[in-house]
Amino acid sequence: MIAELALQDLEPGSLARLFGAGHAAVLVRCPEVIAELWHGLLEQSAEQMPWEASLVDIARNYHGSGDITASLGDLFYFQPGRHGYIARKMALSRDGGTDHVTARPAYFVQGNRRYATQQAVLDQCWAVGSRLMAALAPPGTPPLDFRIVVQRLKYQESMGDFDRLGALARNSLGRWGRAGCALDERRGEAAGMLSGRGASDLYGIIAYVPGVGRIVAAINRWLLRGDRRHDLAPGQRLIEGAHVDYRYFSALCGQRHHMLTQIFMNGQWVDLPIDRRTLAVFPGSMASHAYGVPQVLHRVLHVERADASAPGNPRTDNVTLLIGSA
């Protein structure tokens, strides 16, 4: 089930009650707030977005490590079936005892210049995120320390571009790195009892062993028939495989033509409405651990739409704005 309410009706504990009652996601109506955030985060001509930048500027703005959940700044992730986006990610925090919100990274390099997000925009992101965080916590639960995450993700218009960007990322690696990418692709195909963490690793390795690999591949194809998590409709291609976000919650809005986010509930995949009128909110693993809220499995697909109108703005088409808490 997917519930819907207005932002003004969002009270402490209200999301906790809805998720606890079995709703997998909640659509929070706030078109005016989203319009302001969209303008401040995606329509400022002075800011060069990473999908408009050179690889050098993306690298200069990268702050992180091999852990995708901890990385900040400009991110470039293209692994078939696992990740497929260019993004800009900030983590917001508030100084103890004050209302001053700070962002990390504090600015982004643009050639020989720097760009810093306006303080009013950061404050509004914090206000929205902290209100959602209060609504996620059950009534009477002591407040937890948290950061608000703001991420702008750009997906590509065509599968050809996804494939080329994936090849660019893969072929820039050494021999063992490319072997690791191939192993990850096989792991992502594992179904049923083979899809667990250790079992999928073993399946990915054995799949390349002559003779035995064909046997385990046949077993996996048989298991796929009963594993609805791998279902795809005609015209759909997997961009990000089924996963659970690490954070407390993810709240999504955006402008999409060829992208689709689905959540897994009641044994099947359900389309999650992503637009610029509502924030689509669903819990991650941190909410499950802290509050006992069921975490939500979701995935991202590219969809061929023959009747889709021509893209209107390459800067914002197929862009998702994410506000979360971690």
Side-chain angles (χ1 to χ4, degrees), residues 79-83 173 177-190 200-201 203-205 208:
Q79 292 178 270
R82 291 174 59 84
H83 305 292
L173 302 172
R178 292 194 298 272
C181 287
L183 175 60
D184 280 339
E185 288 187 48
R186 288 290 177 268
R187 289 178 63 247
E189 297 168 359
S200 64
D201 294 336
Y203 169 76
I205 295 172
Y208 287 99

Side-chain angles (χ1 to χ4, degrees), residues 120-200:
V121 176
L122 299 179
D123 292 341
Q124 190 170 28
C125 290
W126 179 270
V128 172
S130 58
R131 186 168 184 176
L132 290 169
M133 187 66 183
L136 180 65
T141 302
L144 299 172
D145 291 333
F146 63 88
R147 300 180 304 164
I148 297 301
V149 176
V150 179
Q151 193 164 0
R152 290 157 279 181
L153 303 99
K154 170 70 171 179
Y155 296 96
Q156 303 307 303
E157 295 290 337
S158 72
M159 277 309 305
D161 286 341
F162 278 108
D163 293 339
R164 282 184 284 270
L165 286 164
L168 174 68
R170 180 178 62 252
N171 294 338
S172 67
L173 302 172
R175 182 177 62 179
W176 287 109
R178 292 194 298 272
C181 287
L183 175 60
D184 280 339
E185 288 187 48
R186 288 290 177 268
R187 289 178 63 247
E189 297 168 359
M193 64 182 181
L194 297 179
S195 63
R197 182 171 298 178
S200 64

Side-chain angles (χ1 to χ4, degrees), residues 294-305:
Q295 57 193 17
V296 173
L297 193 71
H298 60 285
R299 66 182 185 179
V300 179
L301 307 174
H302 181 274
V303 183
E304 295 294 340
R305 302 187 190 278

